[in-house]
Amino acid sequence: QQGWQSTATTSNGNDDLAALRLEYEALRDAANATKKKADKLESKIAIKNGGYIKRAAALQEAAAQTFAETQHAKIEESVYRLLMSHERRGVISRAEKLEKEIAVLEKSEAAAQKLYGDLMHTKHRLLNKIRQKQME
């Protein structure tokens, strides 16, 4: 009986080994097919995500540029507000200086007008004296 059992066990062992090899081949084929599907899906996802990544980068760049422009505008606003406050103070002092200059010019013009009037009076007086002398 021992011989019969060993032959049967050997037969079963070869069948089991063949069955395991077939199962291994089937599993390897299924794994390769699954790998191909996974690679294909990964490629599709990479394409889709690549678009999202590019879009996100473009939006981030646009947001950064808008932020920089806003910061620049805020700086310009503060600079121009400062200039405006200085200008307001400067306008008052310039207006006062101009009023003083106008007063000086008005006095100077009044003096010049008086001098002109006096000179014209003197001229007419002298001309009248000359005419009188010529008539004599």
Side-chain angles (χ1 to χ4, degrees), residues 34-94:
T34 304
K35 185 180 183 312
K36 283 184 183 179
K37 284 182 182 178
D39 288 345
K40 195 180 257 188
L41 285 174
E42 187 178 0
S43 173
K44 285 181 181 179
I45 288 173
I47 289 170
K48 195 172 216 177
N49 284 345
Y52 288 142
I53 290 170
K54 284 182 184 177
R55 185 165 184 220
L59 290 173
Q60 187 177 12
E61 184 179 332
Q65 183 177 359
T66 302
F67 179 76
E69 288 172 358
T70 303
Q71 291 300 98
H72 183 71
K74 285 180 182 180
I75 291 168
E76 282 186 345
E77 179 187 19
S78 68
V79 167
Y80 285 118
R81 284 188 187 277
L82 181 65
L83 287 173
M84 185 169 53
S85 71
H86 288 295
E87 187 63 26
R88 283 184 180 153
R89 281 184 255 139
V91 163
I92 294 169
S93 71
R94 284 195 303 273

Side-chain angles (χ1 to χ4, degrees), residues 13-26:
N14 286 339
D15 287 344
D16 287 344
L17 187 58
L20 284 174
R21 282 189 178 146
L22 281 174
E23 188 178 348
Y24 172 76
E25 292 293 327

